[in-house]
Amino acid sequence: MTDSSVFTPSLFLKRLVVMSNGERVYDENFYTGLNIIRGMNGTGKTTIADFIFFGLGGENVHWKEEALRCDYVYCEVFVSGQIWTLRREVRVEGKTGTDVFEGAFDAAAQTADGWRHYPFSRASGGRESYSQLLFAQLGIPDVKESGDALTVHKLLRALYVDQTSPMH
């Protein structure tokens, strides 16, 4: 099935683009359904998974040296039938926030206009956070547990458990 709008609410990764010094070092389309990333040991499969996790809103990535040579990760996503492009700067420091463009990557790459920055945390000056924006689009209610809010990072950690770090 190629039209994700039949699944509402939904979030599908459509394309992943990784940039280094203004050049695309990785550019791959993904499809609804099963996508397999395969290759020999040491060819970057885990790094690609880390870029997906980070690009969608994950934090605390233990970047490999090669990944830190990259500047930005872009995720073109279907969000409940709409196409958005998400952009995050690759850096060691966490909680960088997310830039959102309502449209496909090719259109987003052509302009500096139309991008909106959303902070990682809702405590950032009272502005709407990336998690609040995404959850509102997905119809997920604002959930707080003991004063601590649900974030995209927490949701992704439940879905993406790597084999090298403990899940708390």
Side-chain angles (χ1 to χ4, degrees), residues 67-95:
L68 286 173
R69 292 185 199 135
C70 298
D71 306 313
Y72 289 94
V73 59
Y74 293 82
C75 291
E76 183 181 296
V77 294
F78 283 119
V79 183
S80 296
Q82 294 184 1
I83 296 178
W84 288 1
T85 300
L86 312 174
R87 175 178 63 195
R88 291 192 76 196
E89 184 177 0
V90 177
R91 4 184 250 209
V92 174
E93 306 88 36
K95 299 181 171 63

Side-chain angles (χ1 to χ4, degrees), residues 5-166:
S5 64
V6 297
F7 303 109
T8 303
S10 59
L11 174 66
F12 292 96
L13 177 64
K14 184 174 172 16
R15 184 175 181 185
L16 178 69
V17 178
V18 180
M19 304 289 286
S20 178
N21 298 315
E23 298 291 324
R24 293 181 197 179
V25 295
Y26 185 84
D27 187 348
E28 190 64 48
N29 290 308
F30 292 83
Y31 305 93
T32 53
L34 178 65
N35 289 269
I36 298 173
I37 299 169
R38 66 182 187 95
M40 302 291 289
N41 288 343
T43 58
K45 298 178 301 296
T46 300
T47 301
I48 292 168
D50 287 343
F51 278 128
I52 293 169
F53 174 73
F54 179 75
L56 293 175
E59 284 294 324
N60 305 321
V61 176
H62 301 291
W63 294 113
K64 293 181 173 52
E65 183 180 325
E66 295 81 6
L68 286 173
R69 292 185 199 135
C70 298
D71 306 313
Y72 289 94
V73 59
Y74 293 82
C75 291
E76 183 181 296
V77 294
F78 283 119
V79 183
S80 296
Q82 294 184 1
I83 296 178
W84 288 1
T85 300
L86 312 174
R87 175 178 63 195
R88 291 192 76 196
E89 184 177 0
V90 177
R91 4 184 250 209
V92 174
E93 306 88 36
K95 299 181 171 63
T96 61
T98 301
D99 298 321
V100 177
F101 181 88
E102 292 186 26
F105 171 78
D106 290 330
Q110 300 296 319
T111 183
D113 296 331
W115 286 97
R116 293 180 319 222
H117 181 76
Y118 291 88
F120 177 80
S121 147
R122 54 181 86 211
S124 300
R127 292 184 50 214
E128 181 179 40
S129 71
Y130 166 66
S131 292
Q132 289 172 300
L133 170 75
L134 186 61
F135 289 164
Q137 184 67 24
L138 292 170
I140 297 173
D142 193 18
V143 177
K144 291 184 180 180
E145 180 181 307
S146 304
D148 193 21
L150 177 66
T151 64
V152 172
H153 168 73
K154 291 176 186 175
L155 186 61
L156 288 172
R157 284 296 293 156
L159 299 172
Y160 170 86
V161 179
D162 65 60
Q163 298 174 5
T164 60
S165 65

